[in-house]
Amino acid sequence: STAAQPAKQLLYTVSVKLKRITITATTPSNSAVRFETGTSELVLSNRIANVQGSKSGVNKISTNAKIFLKLSLGQLIKDIIYPEAEPQFQQHAYFKTTIHMRNALEDDSVT
């Protein structure tokens, strides 16, 4: 009789990259709020935690995300000479931040 071979595990990495989203909301008086994202990335993988020597049947997934956000307050200025032209957004104030998220693996030290 032959010894039973352990099942091979499928290792994968999925990477999603979003270039940019811009949403602008306006009022009748042309005041505007604009929400923008820069390049954002999400990576899901089971390659890091599931290496040789890991327990059979245990499937750990590592996640890593980077998100760039910007929220602006301003006004839409319409072109008087060319009314068919796209209105220009004149920014008065903004809030910009970057969010980095990842899950801590079992062997990671928490600080």
Side-chain angles (χ1 to χ4, degrees):
S1 77
T2 59
Q5 293 183 355
K8 291 186 178 182
Q9 186 175 14
L10 176 65
L11 298 178
Y12 61 88
T13 299
V14 177
S15 181
V16 178
K17 192 174 203 178
L18 182 64
K19 292 274 187 186
R20 181 182 182 130
I21 294 176
T22 302
I23 299 171
T24 304
T26 61
T27 65
S29 64
N30 287 334
S31 294
V33 175
R34 180 171 279 179
F35 174 77
E36 296 176 86
T37 64
T39 302
S40 299
E41 296 180 62
L42 172 66
V43 178
L44 300 170
S45 178
N46 71 344
R47 291 182 179 272
I48 296 171
N50 299 306
V51 294
Q52 290 180 351
S54 66
K55 296 177 185 174
S56 178
V58 176
N59 192 11
K60 295 181 182 179
I61 298 174
S62 66
T63 57
N64 191 359
K66 244 190 277 189
I67 305 165
F68 300 93
L69 302 173
K70 182 178 179 183
L71 185 63
S72 306
L73 298 174
Q75 189 170 14
L76 282 180
I77 308 294
K78 293 183 181 179
D79 193 324
I80 297 171
I81 298 172
Y82 301 104
E84 68 277 359
E86 193 73 27
Q88 297 294 315
F89 180 75
Q90 184 177 33
Q91 180 176 284
H92 297 299
Y94 69 91
F95 171 77
K96 185 164 63 168
T97 190
T98 303
I99 300 170
H100 292 265
M101 295 182 290
R102 75 175 182 93
N103 63 329
L105 300 175
E106 196 174 302
D107 298 336
D108 288 351
S109 60
V110 178
T111 54

